[in-house]
Structure formats: C-alpha cells, structure tokens
Amino acid sequence: MSSTPAYDPASVVRSYRSQKRQKPCDRCRERKLRCQTDSEPPCQRCRRNNSTCTFVGKPRRRPPQHDRDRRGRRGRPEPMSDEHTTPHGFTVFTRLHDGDLSSGISSSIDETAVTGAEKPPQVGAPGATFTRTLDTPALTGVHPHRPSTHQLAHCLDQIQGHTAQLLGGSSESDPWLLRHCRFDELGLRSFHKVHYRHAGGVPTRDRIPVHFLLSDDHLCEGAAAETRISSEGELRTELETLVSPIYGARLVRLFHKHVFPVLPVISPSELGLASTDSVPDRTSLDSTPTHLLAAMYGSALPFALNDDQLAVMHGYQQPPLDRIWRIVYKSIQEALHRPRLSTMQAALLYLHKTHDDRCRYASSDTPFMWSLMGSIVGLGHSLGLHLECRMFGIPAREKGLRRRLWWAVFIEDKWMSLLLGRPPYIRRNEWDTSELDSADFEPHSASYPETLGAGPYTAFRDMARLALVADSIQESLYSLHACQKLADDLQSSIQAAKPLFDQLNAWRASIPALEPYKACLSTMRSDTTTYPTTVYFAHLTLVVYVWRALLRPTVRSLPPPPIIEMDQPLHETQPLQDPAFLFEDLSWDFSELPEIELHLEEDVTETSATVKELHQAAQSCAGNLVNFTCQLTSSNFGEFWHSWSRVGYAVVSNFLMALLVQAPSSENALKAKQMLEHWRRVIRDQGKVSPVLTLAMTRLNAFYWAGLSETFCLPQHVQDVLQ
C-alpha cells in the first residue's frame, strides 16, 4: 500500500525568470513585501507569522512601457525599506533605524497610483519625521477585498508627510457616521485626498468613537506661509551656530538629569539615553526637530556649571539664552500648522523659559503668556491628548507620552489660572484621561535614580494630583461666582474651605519625602536625589490661598466712590467714612473650621471663636512658609523651579501684608509686623541666590517705598504699631 507523500513547498517551486533576484513567496508577492529566505523555505516573514510559505503563484505581468515611463517621470526612488500598499491609496513603510521601527505613509497622486518609497527626511523640512520618538511594530499586509477584523498598533504621531488632528463629537465629519466605515488593518480609510484614521479600541462603554483626520503637510503650506516668521532651515542653521553639537549633546544630558524628573515631557529613549550619564550621539541630535532641540538647550543652560566640560566653556563664552528661546518660539509658530507631539513638548518647556537679564524677574509676565497657554490647550485638544488613549491602536510608548503630555498641560493650566486670576481653559466635563501610574513611566524607570523617599517620577505624579486640588480651590473659592458669594459670608467660606483643607492634608500625608532642608542633610549621607523643592512650595502656596479666602469676609469693604463723568461739572462729594467701621462686629463662630497642622485648637467654642483666632491660625501658616523659605539652601534654589513659582512667592508677600492691614488687635498687628519684616530680610538674602524671589521682593518694597499708612486705610491700632 503506497502512502501519500508529505507536501513539500520546495517541490512545487516554479521556474523564475531571473536567477539574480531572490524568489518571493506567494504571500510576500501578494502584499508587495520584501521576501527574505535563509537557505530554504519558509521565508522569515512567514516563519514569524506562522504562515504557510508557498511558491506556486505566477509573477504578475509588468506594466506597459509608457506606464513605467510615467512612473519614472514622477521621480520615484528605489525602495529603501519594506513597503505595502493599502486599498485606500497609502503606501506604508516599515524601516529599521538603530534598532527601532518607525513608520510613515504618503498619499497617492490620484486614487489608484501609488507614490514612491520613503525618502530620508531632512531636518526642518515639512513632514520631517522624528524617527527616534516612538517604536512601531512591523506591519503585515492588508486584505484588499474586505474590512479588517483586527487593527494593528500603529504610530499615530509619526505618519510621514501627514498630520493627525482629532475629529470631535460635533465636528463636520460625524464620528458616529465614520464608525460604520470599512477600515483596514492600520485603521485607515481614504477618499481621494481625505484620509481618516480610526483610533481603535473605541467606542466602548462610556467612550465615544475617536477618529483623526490625516492632512497632507503640503496642503497646509499656504496657511503656514501667511504666518511664517523664519524657515526651519534658517532656524536650524542659527541654532547650530549658537550651540555646537558637542556643547548641545552635553546640554541634553543635563536636561534629562535636572529638568526631566520634574517635567518628564521628553523620554530619554527618544534620544537613545540609557541613564542620566548618557550623552546622545550626533545622529540623535540631527533627527530631533529644531523647536524641541532648542527647548532642551534653553532649559538646560542654567545648569551648565554642573557639567565639568561645560563649566569651563561657559566661563569664557555663554550661548545667548534669549536668542535660543526666540528660535523655539519661531519654530513653534511654524509647526502649529502641522503639529506633532514634539510641538507640544517644546511649547511646555517654553512656558518655563528663563532669562539672562535678572531685571525681567522683577515684573510680572505680559498677557502673552496666558494667551500662549490658551494656544497650548487648544493644541492639546487638536492632538486628542484630553482623551483616554489606553485602548487606542497605538504603541504603548506613545500612549504613555500622550498621557504625560496631557497632565503636563493640565498642571500648567490650573496653576497659571489660579496665580493669574484667570478662568481656566480646561473644563472638567471635557476630558477623561485617567490619573498617571507606573505604566506611563515603565520604559524609563530602571535607568534613573530614585528620589529620596519616593520612586522614580513620583514628583510629577504628585504634581498632577496637586493640580486637581488647585482646580478645586479655584472653582470653590476664586471663580467669579464663588468670589461674589463668599466675599461677605464667612460661614459659607468656612464650609467651602473644610474639604479643601482635607484634600491638602491628604496630599501632604501621601508624600513620603522629607522637608527640603532635612532632605539636604540626608543626601549628604546617601546617593539619592532630593524631592523637588518646587513641588513642596506649590503645596504651601495652595494652603495660603485657602487662608487668604478665609480672611476676605472678616473685614467689610469700603463703599465704592461715586463715579463722575469727565464732561460733567464736579459737585461737592461726601467725605470718606472713617475706616474704623470696617473692624466693628468682629465676632464669628469658628467651631467648624478644620484643624490644619495644629493651627487651631480642637476645643474652640462659640464664646472664644473670634476673628483674632482666625488671624492667629493664618499667621501660624504664614510663619511656616517664612521658615520654609529661610531654611532653603543654594542647592534647593539651584534645582529646576516652575516658572510660575515666582508668582507664588509674590502671593505670599501679599498674604503677609494682608495679615498686617487686617489685624484685628494690636497684638495681632505687632506679630504681623515682625513677621513681615522677617520675610523682607529672608527674600532679600535668598534673592541674591535665586531670581525666583525677585518679584516678591519688588512687590513688597513698593508698598514700603510709598508708605504703608499712605497706601492703605489702616485702623488706629495698626497705625500705632507701625509708628
């Protein structure tokens, strides 16, 4: 009995027209992928996909000569990477670069013709790809006749020559209509020059359909030309003239050592850095967009003395910091028409730019910075950062980066809103990104040292949680309606302050790190890094804001003066009322005021609850903050600080002045006066070390220069103390 011989793919190999080229298998030929076979079948791709590798098909006929000539006139280069064509006019490339896989797609000239293979992008050119940003898995073929039953995790930010912008729930392209489209394995659907990318993973319960519109970068050139300040090529040349690559590589190293732990908006892996001591190579610098590279340079320049080589070079010639930040701004403006995640990264760093001229720290920012914050929030919405992306069909590394960027935008919006007295741009019902966890930092955790008393990147996660408290304080105490309601209602103010004090105490209890001055002593005996001082100060600033809101209703406001039109005759006006009436009837019930760090006794009763006790509690809070600043060392001030911290110190100066002006008794006034004089000495001495205190010192000195009695309407007991 004869047995049927086993099927051997090699036995059915057809004759091939050329022995100089490798014979592709049927699967690779159908998908127009490069077929790599070792000594015998199966090929590498079929072996990896666990597919049958056959060679039974016949090669397709070559197109007519005139078609080949027409394709040649388009200037199609020879393929440099694996490629395959989707049914919707995209050519998808998978290219190996330093061990990472990056991807790109390009739109077709018409609905049927396919463009050429990927060209090496030039730095600064439209659509240039930052190839090190994210890894994208190798892509398999797309079935040409039916919609895909699955979707590959494919990079959304690094699509060659195209920019992705979110289609919201009420956009002209209805997401609930697009959900019925037939998308391929890459989540793509194309209609001539209109291309949609399905995010994948949604809709699910409590999630909406998420789609992105892929716009050809060349279509944006007309709009970009209208607002162009300088070309990317010019900006790149200027940057390389100001900062040599050798100098710049060490600045990038300083950035990831000093700035990245507080603002992890750029991953070390983007530049191939394995640890804080790693220095990026020239290829990594060349592939980084101009605005992002310049932003890292500008952020790291204040720490140049911490590098042995840069300290010597910095002593003889320093790169002009303001010119570097100017390059960042110009390049961001150019990139806003074709934004990518690198645009957001550079914009966030620009918010915290420093200056060579210390005099600029003596005045507040112009309205431009708040307007820029609005542009950054709008950019985040266009990129879809406000949507939870963990179910998206994108690589895990891009998910973590998008989530960190959103929380960085959220932090800036909430703090600038509170410190500048502006309504926040971000509303609670318009975002659903969940809180950060270790998965958002996992690829980088092992390479960086732990912070004293905490794990890697804990400070940024803590700052994100603190921003939620700042949002609650702004909404509950400082929004327009809250101020109108609570300004003269102490009891309602107390009720609003109680849950905020609870949130602040819970946040502080969750921080295992030591106080900055204690941490400095500990680090002298260990190799761990200190917890960022700027985060500690942010917490204390929020405590001050709650107490400041409680002081508002303790004293009544002066009646507004009559309004006199300039073109009307001046009539005799009524004399101003004696300001002493402001401090009448100062007895209140503080039995429900929560205890915060032992500022109030637990047995406060109605008979002993007075405004005097409130001021004593507020003065205790102010005293802690004065001591905190007094004990900071040059090492603490030499850390990275959020740029708005200087506004926070100005808030402290105003808070201390309010304690003096509104002091309910001579005893309170004397204590407030002594604390204010101590604060002046502290910020004067510490201001010699860091410009972060300059604005606070300027604001306070202005009051004394004009004279407190001449500036404020003071009760007699306060005037007596001042004299």
mmCIF file of all heavy atoms in Angstrom, residues 406-432:
data_model
loop_
_atom_site.group_PDB
_atom_site.id
_atom_site.type_symbol
_atom_site.label_atom_id
_atom_site.label_comp_id
_atom_site.label_asym_id
_atom_site.label_seq_id
_atom_site.Cartn_x
_atom_site.Cartn_y
_atom_site.Cartn_z
ATOM 1 N N TRP A 406 -0.624 65.325 28.413
ATOM 2 C CA TRP A 406 -1.896 65.911 28.823
ATOM 3 C C TRP A 406 -1.841 66.399 30.261
ATOM 4 O O TRP A 406 -2.304 67.507 30.581
ATOM 5 C CB TRP A 406 -3.043 64.914 28.672
ATOM 6 C CG TRP A 406 -4.290 65.440 29.328
ATOM 7 C CD1 TRP A 406 -4.883 64.997 30.468
ATOM 8 C CD2 TRP A 406 -5.084 66.557 28.887
ATOM 9 N NE1 TRP A 406 -5.989 65.741 30.774
ATOM 10 C CE2 TRP A 406 -6.132 66.720 29.814
ATOM 11 C CE3 TRP A 406 -4.992 67.429 27.803
ATOM 12 C CZ2 TRP A 406 -7.092 67.723 29.690
ATOM 13 C CZ3 TRP A 406 -5.955 68.431 27.672
ATOM 14 C CH2 TRP A 406 -6.978 68.568 28.604
ATOM 15 N N TRP A 407 -1.279 65.597 31.146
ATOM 16 C CA TRP A 407 -1.217 66.016 32.544
ATOM 17 C C TRP A 407 -0.280 67.202 32.726
ATOM 18 O O TRP A 407 -0.488 68.036 33.620
ATOM 19 C CB TRP A 407 -0.820 64.841 33.432
ATOM 20 C CG TRP A 407 -1.988 63.957 33.751
ATOM 21 C CD1 TRP A 407 -2.282 62.732 33.235
ATOM 22 C CD2 TRP A 407 -3.056 64.270 34.646
ATOM 23 N NE1 TRP A 407 -3.451 62.254 33.747
ATOM 24 C CE2 TRP A 407 -3.961 63.171 34.631
ATOM 25 C CE3 TRP A 407 -3.345 65.356 35.473
ATOM 26 C CZ2 TRP A 407 -5.109 63.138 35.407
ATOM 27 C CZ3 TRP A 407 -4.505 65.333 36.243
ATOM 28 C CH2 TRP A 407 -5.369 64.232 36.209
ATOM 29 N N ALA A 408 0.742 67.303 31.905
ATOM 30 C CA ALA A 408 1.602 68.496 31.962
ATOM 31 C C ALA A 408 0.823 69.737 31.546
ATOM 32 O O ALA A 408 0.955 70.805 32.161
ATOM 33 C CB ALA A 408 2.825 68.301 31.057
ATOM 34 N N VAL A 409 -0.010 69.622 30.510
ATOM 35 C CA VAL A 409 -0.863 70.742 30.102
ATOM 36 C C VAL A 409 -1.863 71.076 31.206
ATOM 37 O O VAL A 409 -2.098 72.257 31.518
ATOM 38 C CB VAL A 409 -1.599 70.399 28.791
ATOM 39 C CG1 VAL A 409 -2.601 71.492 28.427
ATOM 40 C CG2 VAL A 409 -0.606 70.215 27.651
ATOM 41 N N PHE A 410 -2.433 70.071 31.819
ATOM 42 C CA PHE A 410 -3.405 70.288 32.895
ATOM 43 C C PHE A 410 -2.765 71.024 34.068
ATOM 44 O O PHE A 410 -3.350 71.961 34.626
ATOM 45 C CB PHE A 410 -3.963 68.938 33.346
ATOM 46 C CG PHE A 410 -5.042 69.035 34.394
ATOM 47 C CD1 PHE A 410 -6.363 69.218 34.018
ATOM 48 C CD2 PHE A 410 -4.734 68.942 35.728
ATOM 49 C CE1 PHE A 410 -7.365 69.310 34.983
ATOM 50 C CE2 PHE A 410 -5.720 69.033 36.700
ATOM 51 C CZ PHE A 410 -7.041 69.213 36.328
ATOM 52 N N ILE A 411 -1.564 70.620 34.435
ATOM 53 C CA ILE A 411 -0.865 71.277 35.542
ATOM 54 C C ILE A 411 -0.644 72.755 35.241
ATOM 55 O O ILE A 411 -0.912 73.628 36.087
ATOM 56 C CB ILE A 411 0.474 70.565 35.811
ATOM 57 C CG1 ILE A 411 0.231 69.168 36.386
ATOM 58 C CG2 ILE A 411 1.345 71.380 36.767
ATOM 59 C CD1 ILE A 411 1.483 68.306 36.470
ATOM 60 N N GLU A 412 -0.160 73.050 34.048
ATOM 61 C CA GLU A 412 0.115 74.444 33.694
ATOM 62 C C GLU A 412 -1.166 75.271 33.680
ATOM 63 O O GLU A 412 -1.187 76.416 34.153
ATOM 64 C CB GLU A 412 0.806 74.520 32.335
ATOM 65 C CG GLU A 412 2.117 73.767 32.250
ATOM 66 C CD GLU A 412 3.103 74.220 33.314
ATOM 67 O OE1 GLU A 412 3.165 75.436 33.598
ATOM 68 O OE2 GLU A 412 3.807 73.362 33.872
ATOM 69 N N ASP A 413 -2.224 74.727 33.133
ATOM 70 C CA ASP A 413 -3.477 75.476 33.042
ATOM 71 C C ASP A 413 -4.018 75.811 34.423
ATOM 72 O O ASP A 413 -4.429 76.949 34.688
ATOM 73 C CB ASP A 413 -4.499 74.666 32.248
ATOM 74 C CG ASP A 413 -5.865 75.337 32.208
ATOM 75 O OD1 ASP A 413 -5.971 76.408 31.571
ATOM 76 O OD2 ASP A 413 -6.813 74.802 32.807
ATOM 77 N N LYS A 414 -4.022 74.850 35.330
ATOM 78 C CA LYS A 414 -4.609 75.073 36.646
ATOM 79 C C LYS A 414 -3.777 76.022 37.487
ATOM 80 O O LYS A 414 -4.316 76.873 38.201
ATOM 81 C CB LYS A 414 -4.797 73.737 37.371
ATOM 82 C CG LYS A 414 -5.741 72.782 36.642
ATOM 83 C CD LYS A 414 -7.039 73.483 36.256
ATOM 84 C CE LYS A 414 -7.935 72.604 35.414
ATOM 85 N NZ LYS A 414 -9.150 73.317 34.954
ATOM 86 N N TRP A 415 -2.464 75.918 37.410
ATOM 87 C CA TRP A 415 -1.631 76.796 38.220
ATOM 88 C C TRP A 415 -1.604 78.212 37.675
ATOM 89 O O TRP A 415 -1.684 79.192 38.429
ATOM 90 C CB TRP A 415 -0.214 76.222 38.323
ATOM 91 C CG TRP A 415 -0.128 75.202 39.405
ATOM 92 C CD1 TRP A 415 -0.145 73.849 39.269
ATOM 93 C CD2 TRP A 415 -0.048 75.460 40.810
ATOM 94 N NE1 TRP A 415 -0.084 73.237 40.500
ATOM 95 C CE2 TRP A 415 -0.016 74.205 41.461
ATOM 96 C CE3 TRP A 415 0.003 76.612 41.567
ATOM 97 C CZ2 TRP A 415 0.066 74.093 42.834
ATOM 98 C CZ3 TRP A 415 0.081 76.505 42.951
ATOM 99 C CH2 TRP A 415 0.107 75.253 43.568
ATOM 100 N N MET A 416 -1.490 78.357 36.373
ATOM 101 C CA MET A 416 -1.495 79.701 35.805
ATOM 102 C C MET A 416 -2.851 80.364 35.994
ATOM 103 O O MET A 416 -2.939 81.582 36.229
ATOM 104 C CB MET A 416 -1.107 79.646 34.333
ATOM 105 C CG MET A 416 0.332 79.248 34.084
ATOM 106 S SD MET A 416 0.804 79.282 32.334
ATOM 107 C CE MET A 416 0.727 81.046 32.010
ATOM 108 N N SER A 417 -3.923 79.599 35.901
ATOM 109 C CA SER A 417 -5.249 80.142 36.131
ATOM 110 C C SER A 417 -5.381 80.695 37.538
ATOM 111 O O SER A 417 -5.867 81.818 37.748
ATOM 112 C CB SER A 417 -6.306 79.060 35.886
ATOM 113 O OG SER A 417 -7.570 79.458 36.364
ATOM 114 N N LEU A 418 -4.933 79.942 38.524
ATOM 115 C CA LEU A 418 -5.060 80.368 39.921
ATOM 116 C C LEU A 418 -4.138 81.548 40.225
ATOM 117 O O LEU A 418 -4.549 82.528 40.856
ATOM 118 C CB LEU A 418 -4.745 79.189 40.840
ATOM 119 C CG LEU A 418 -4.942 79.423 42.344
ATOM 120 C CD1 LEU A 418 -6.406 79.738 42.650
ATOM 121 C CD2 LEU A 418 -4.474 78.202 43.140
ATOM 122 N N LEU A 419 -2.900 81.485 39.783
ATOM 123 C CA LEU A 419 -1.929 82.518 40.121
ATOM 124 C C LEU A 419 -2.174 83.826 39.378
ATOM 125 O O LEU A 419 -1.824 84.898 39.874
ATOM 126 C CB LEU A 419 -0.511 82.010 39.828
ATOM 127 C CG LEU A 419 -0.020 80.892 40.740
ATOM 128 C CD1 LEU A 419 1.239 80.259 40.176
ATOM 129 C CD2 LEU A 419 0.248 81.414 42.151
ATOM 130 N N LEU A 420 -2.751 83.745 38.189
ATOM 131 C CA LEU A 420 -3.018 84.956 37.408
ATOM 132 C C LEU A 420 -4.440 85.462 37.575
ATOM 133 O O LEU A 420 -4.779 86.532 37.056
ATOM 134 C CB LEU A 420 -2.733 84.702 35.920
ATOM 135 C CG LEU A 420 -1.306 84.302 35.557
ATOM 136 C CD1 LEU A 420 -1.185 84.096 34.057
ATOM 137 C CD2 LEU A 420 -0.300 85.349 36.033
ATOM 138 N N GLY A 421 -5.293 84.708 38.264
ATOM 139 C CA GLY A 421 -6.670 85.127 38.450
ATOM 140 C C GLY A 421 -7.478 85.065 37.170
ATOM 141 O O GLY A 421 -8.286 85.958 36.890
ATOM 142 N N ARG A 422 -7.288 84.020 36.377
ATOM 143 C CA ARG A 422 -7.990 83.861 35.106
ATOM 144 C C ARG A 422 -8.885 82.616 35.156
ATOM 145 O O ARG A 422 -8.551 81.641 35.833
ATOM 146 C CB ARG A 422 -7.004 83.708 33.953
ATOM 147 C CG ARG A 422 -5.986 84.817 33.819
ATOM 148 C CD ARG A 422 -6.601 86.101 33.283
ATOM 149 N NE ARG A 422 -5.581 87.072 32.916
ATOM 150 C CZ ARG A 422 -5.084 87.979 33.742
ATOM 151 N NH1 ARG A 422 -5.513 88.023 34.982
ATOM 152 N NH2 ARG A 422 -4.156 88.839 33.318
ATOM 153 N N PRO A 423 -9.983 82.633 34.420
ATOM 154 C CA PRO A 423 -10.776 81.389 34.312
ATOM 155 C C PRO A 423 -9.956 80.322 33.588
ATOM 156 O O PRO A 423 -9.302 80.611 32.592
ATOM 157 C CB PRO A 423 -11.985 81.810 33.472
ATOM 158 C CG PRO A 423 -12.021 83.306 33.539
ATOM 159 C CD PRO A 423 -10.605 83.752 33.697
ATOM 160 N N PRO A 424 -9.957 79.095 34.068
ATOM 161 C CA PRO A 424 -9.150 78.051 33.425
ATOM 162 C C PRO A 424 -9.675 77.716 32.037
ATOM 163 O O PRO A 424 -10.874 77.829 31.753
ATOM 164 C CB PRO A 424 -9.282 76.858 34.378
ATOM 165 C CG PRO A 424 -10.565 77.097 35.103
ATOM 166 C CD PRO A 424 -10.703 78.581 35.234
ATOM 167 N N TYR A 425 -8.774 77.298 31.173
ATOM 168 C CA TYR A 425 -9.165 76.881 29.828
ATOM 169 C C TYR A 425 -9.775 75.477 29.817
ATOM 170 O O TYR A 425 -10.612 75.168 28.983
ATOM 171 C CB TYR A 425 -7.945 76.898 28.898
ATOM 172 C CG TYR A 425 -7.456 78.274 28.536
ATOM 173 C CD1 TYR A 425 -6.253 78.760 29.031
ATOM 174 C CD2 TYR A 425 -8.178 79.094 27.681
ATOM 175 C CE1 TYR A 425 -5.790 80.023 28.692
ATOM 176 C CE2 TYR A 425 -7.727 80.360 27.344
ATOM 177 C CZ TYR A 425 -6.529 80.820 27.855
ATOM 178 O OH TYR A 425 -6.086 82.065 27.514
ATOM 179 N N ILE A 426 -9.312 74.623 30.715
ATOM 180 C CA ILE A 426 -9.744 73.219 30.719
ATOM 181 C C ILE A 426 -10.923 73.058 31.657
ATOM 182 O O ILE A 426 -10.851 73.426 32.839
ATOM 183 C CB ILE A 426 -8.583 72.297 31.145
ATOM 184 C CG1 ILE A 426 -7.414 72.415 30.165
ATOM 185 C CG2 ILE A 426 -9.049 70.850 31.236
ATOM 186 C CD1 ILE A 426 -6.192 71.618 30.569
ATOM 187 N N ARG A 427 -12.008 72.507 31.142
ATOM 188 C CA ARG A 427 -13.210 72.263 31.931
ATOM 189 C C ARG A 427 -13.304 70.784 32.296
ATOM 190 O O ARG A 427 -12.897 69.918 31.530
ATOM 191 C CB ARG A 427 -14.452 72.700 31.157
ATOM 192 C CG ARG A 427 -14.486 74.198 30.863
ATOM 193 C CD ARG A 427 -15.779 74.577 30.168
ATOM 194 N NE ARG A 427 -15.894 73.962 28.858
ATOM 195 C CZ ARG A 427 -16.994 74.020 28.103
ATOM 196 N NH1 ARG A 427 -18.063 74.648 28.557
ATOM 197 N NH2 ARG A 427 -17.020 73.441 26.920
ATOM 198 N N ARG A 428 -13.881 70.515 33.434
ATOM 199 C CA ARG A 428 -13.899 69.148 33.962
ATOM 200 C C ARG A 428 -14.673 68.181 33.085
ATOM 201 O O ARG A 428 -14.362 66.991 33.046
ATOM 202 C CB ARG A 428 -14.495 69.147 35.372
ATOM 203 C CG ARG A 428 -13.632 69.854 36.410
ATOM 204 C CD ARG A 428 -14.136 69.595 37.813
ATOM 205 N NE ARG A 428 -13.266 70.200 38.820
ATOM 206 C CZ ARG A 428 -13.429 70.037 40.128
ATOM 207 N NH1 ARG A 428 -14.427 69.308 40.579
ATOM 208 N NH2 ARG A 428 -12.600 70.612 40.969
ATOM 209 N N ASN A 429 -15.685 68.659 32.395
ATOM 210 C CA ASN A 429 -16.528 67.755 31.596
ATOM 211 C C ASN A 429 -16.024 67.589 30.180
ATOM 212 O O ASN A 429 -16.751 67.097 29.320
ATOM 213 C CB ASN A 429 -17.971 68.268 31.577
ATOM 214 C CG ASN A 429 -18.080 69.667 30.973
ATOM 215 O OD1 ASN A 429 -17.087 70.373 30.870
ATOM 216 N ND2 ASN A 429 -19.286 70.057 30.608
ATOM 217 N N GLU A 430 -14.783 67.992 29.898
ATOM 218 C CA GLU A 430 -14.255 67.910 28.539
ATOM 219 C C GLU A 430 -12.979 67.081 28.440
ATOM 220 O O GLU A 430 -12.238 67.222 27.479
ATOM 221 C CB GLU A 430 -14.001 69.324 27.995
ATOM 222 C CG GLU A 430 -15.257 70.147 27.777
ATOM 223 C CD GLU A 430 -16.132 69.612 26.656
ATOM 224 O OE1 GLU A 430 -15.670 68.713 25.924
ATOM 225 O OE2 GLU A 430 -17.272 70.083 26.506
ATOM 226 N N TRP A 431 -12.685 66.259 29.420
ATOM 227 C CA TRP A 431 -11.515 65.382 29.319
ATOM 228 C C TRP A 431 -11.759 64.149 30.183
ATOM 229 O O TRP A 431 -12.509 64.200 31.150
ATOM 230 C CB TRP A 431 -10.235 66.091 29.735
ATOM 231 C CG TRP A 431 -10.217 66.577 31.165
ATOM 232 C CD1 TRP A 431 -10.775 67.721 31.651
ATOM 233 C CD2 TRP A 431 -9.621 65.918 32.298
ATOM 234 N NE1 TRP A 431 -10.572 67.825 33.000
ATOM 235 C CE2 TRP A 431 -9.858 66.737 33.427
ATOM 236 C CE3 TRP A 431 -8.914 64.731 32.461
ATOM 237 C CZ2 TRP A 431 -9.411 66.399 34.703
ATOM 238 C CZ3 TRP A 431 -8.463 64.392 33.743
ATOM 239 C CH2 TRP A 431 -8.707 65.226 34.815
ATOM 240 N N ASP A 432 -11.134 63.043 29.820
ATOM 241 C CA ASP A 432 -11.333 61.801 30.567
ATOM 242 C C ASP A 432 -10.046 60.997 30.736
ATOM 243 O O ASP A 432 -10.097 59.803 31.018
ATOM 244 C CB ASP A 432 -12.401 60.942 29.898
ATOM 245 C CG ASP A 432 -11.977 60.429 28.518
ATOM 246 O OD1 ASP A 432 -10.963 60.927 27.986
ATOM 247 O OD2 ASP A 432 -12.662 59.540 27.981
#
